[in-house]
Amino acid sequence: REAAGDWEETFALVVKRSELPASGEVIKGLPHQAATIARDRLGRPEEATDLYAALFEDDPFDRVAAEALRQLYGEARRWDDLVRLVERLVDLAETPAARSVLRIELARLNDEHFRAHDTAINLLRDVLDEEPGQPEAVVALSELLEKTGRDEDLAELLESQIRGAHDRGETDAEVRFLLRLAEVCETRLQDRERAILTYQQVLACEGKNRVALVALGRLHQAVGNFPEAAAALEQLIEVADGGDVVSLASSLADVYEKVDDRAAAARALERAIEVEGAHL
């Protein structure tokens, strides 16, 4: 019947065969075959779901049944059932990495479909307790804290990740988290001084970081610290390209004029003229 493409009859025969005495492997394989036919050939996801659910109840370590159920529950928007399934899979996971993947999925489900933000946040914190610095969890948790307006918690999260990255000697990650923290301090916490200190930490890790130098030039001017703003712009000009040098040198000249250092302002403008002339 399968060779003839008669999937209705094939399904019925496989179900009947599964009810007859057989070895353990055969008994297990037949419901899998029936579930696959129901899902892929007959377009009857409800029957497939019932079959996979029975398989999972009989053997919670049946990965094929578990993955099929996750997909079917999602497609049917059965979010309660999907959450319960993933919670069981978290308890059954044998490695921290496997638990992390499942907890991140569970956090997403709680956030998107139940608006259970606290539950989602706690799940992501559990991931980071077990796997400090887990990139996907850090991103998901920072986005969730930002979305819910928990700015201080977001800053604390980033500070903890900075410490962890520093201890592990992961300079690139440390710089990335420092830049994010500085942005949070400036734009969300409205704490310019803290943002300045954080950008200075970036330069301690990566002396010519353009993002940090640009931000320091802007922030120092905003708080009226023009000598420090000039120092940041001087460093930025050293790593800038062509046209950027012209605009930066003009900005630097303006800063020097504010501290009444006309000679330095003139030098900055001369540099802009030299660069602009070289590109004519």
Side-chain angles (χ1 to χ4, degrees), residues 34-53:
T36 301
I37 293 171
R39 181 188 61 187
D40 300 338
R41 299 292 185 176
L42 298 178
R44 300 210 294 254
E46 296 85 358
E47 289 185 61
T49 300
D50 291 342
L51 288 163
Y52 281 124

Side-chain angles (χ1 to χ4, degrees), residues 237 239-247 249 270-280:
I237 287 173
V239 296
D241 299 321
D244 290 338
V245 172
V246 175
S247 61
E270 287 168 0
R271 184 167 187 176
I273 292 168
E274 289 175 5
V275 172
E276 193 167 34
H279 286 80
L280 291 177

Side-chain angles (χ1 to χ4, degrees), residues 127-128 131-138 161 168 170 177:
V127 173
L128 295 176
E131 282 196 291
Q134 210 278 355
E136 193 175 350
V138 172
Q161 296 307 308
R168 295 189 298 272
E170 298 174 358
F177 290 132

